Amino acid sequence: MKIFKTGSLVILLIFAASSVCLAQKGATARAAAAKAAQEKAQRAADEEAVRKMPDPGADTAFVVATRANIREEPDRTSRILLEVERGEALSLIEREPTGTWFRVIHVETAIEGWIDQSVIVNKLTANRYTAPDFEEEVTESDSNPTVKITNQERATDLNLRMNGVLYVIKANTTRSFTLAPGPYEYYGWSPGVRATFGKSTLSRGTIYSWSFFIRRR
């Protein structure tokens, strides 16, 4: 009888422990499901709010997660360049993602990187290309086109990326570079300034000029 009672007690204890474990798993699963439903509802509300916003004048990504990371490459293991918070607006560089990642610029710091589409909602502008046109000077030579950029700001560097190549024009300087003729898409940005996008076809024997300055109200 003693052995039987001891064995019964062990069986009862094991059963009780299993019941507690199953109850805990059930509670965890219900909490996870509730959280997922809440996040889905919040995402839908965020998308609706952004959809109703007026045209921002530039393609913009709004952070809808409490916190999110801008990374160096479109990969969750890539180096974190900056942590952003809910409500922050980012310049959206490309309208189509690479996998699940969008290329963006943090306006305040001018940091360029990648952010996952799960933590942002995008608002596209009706007029993507807002950069001023290049001024053109046709020469008699048949040389490759020259691009001359003047940064009139005294304390702010200008970043200019043309067909993927980055050129940095220091404050209060002019920089010239020679490119192959053909079509180019480009965008320029500085700390505290939203990116502005343009496109142009560069021809031989032509000098293209662009002056950068910040319009302050």
Side-chain angles (χ1 to χ4, degrees):
M1 293 295 292
K2 185 177 181 181
I3 295 175
F4 176 76
K5 287 183 178 179
T6 302
S8 299
L9 180 59
V10 171
I11 292 172
L12 288 172
L13 288 174
I14 291 174
F15 178 75
S18 299
S19 299
V20 171
C21 185
L22 288 172
Q24 289 175 341
K25 287 183 178 179
T28 301
R30 287 192 295 274
K35 182 180 179 180
Q38 183 179 14
E39 290 176 348
K40 184 178 180 180
Q42 184 62 62
R43 175 78 184 194
D46 289 334
E47 290 177 348
E48 180 66 12
V50 171
R51 186 186 67 80
K52 291 181 177 179
M53 289 177 59
D55 191 322
D59 289 349
T60 306
F62 294 93
V63 179
V64 294
T66 303
R67 287 183 178 81
N69 294 320
I70 295 177
R71 295 185 179 270
E72 189 172 29
E73 300 294 339
D75 189 302
R76 291 189 183 277
T77 62
S78 178
R79 184 167 69 96
I80 296 172
L81 301 178
L82 185 69
E83 185 181 87
V84 291
E85 297 182 352
R86 180 178 176 80
E88 290 194 60
L90 313 171
S91 290
L92 185 65
I93 298 174
E94 298 165 355
R95 290 185 167 185
E96 297 298 325
T98 297
T100 63
W101 297 83
F102 280 95
R103 194 171 183 87
V104 296
I105 295 171
H106 185 251
V107 176
E108 188 69 22
T109 61
I111 289 175
E112 183 182 21
W114 298 84
I115 194 165
D116 191 82
Q117 65 182 7
S118 64
V119 296
I120 58 172
V121 174
N122 296 335
K123 177 73 174 182
L124 304 183
T125 182
N127 181 20
R128 175 169 170 76
Y129 299 102
T130 57
D133 294 332
F134 286 121
E135 294 183 6
E136 299 182 16
E137 178 187 348
V138 179
T139 68
E140 295 181 356
S141 71
D142 190 41
S143 58
N144 281 344
T146 297
V147 176
K148 184 172 68 173
I149 307 296
T150 300
N151 182 0
Q152 297 179 352
E153 291 297 311
R154 295 187 177 276
T156 305
D157 293 346
L158 167 66
N159 301 300
L160 178 66
R161 195 178 287 278
M162 299 188 68
N163 281 9
V165 179
L166 177 64
Y167 303 89
V168 178
I169 299 87
K170 295 296 184 180
N172 203 28
T173 65
T174 296
R175 181 177 176 184
S176 297
F177 39 91
T178 301
L179 300 175
Y184 284 81
E185 293 206 11
Y186 55 90
Y187 54 95
W189 77 100
S190 292
V193 180
R194 288 191 310 181
T196 182
F197 295 79
K199 60 180 178 179
S200 182
T201 298
L202 307 186
S203 302
R204 288 184 175 277
T206 306
I207 298 174
Y208 297 87
S209 302
W210 190 32
S211 295
F212 169 79
F213 59 93
I214 300 173
R215 292 178 179 171
R216 294 174 173 85
R217 296 178 180 178

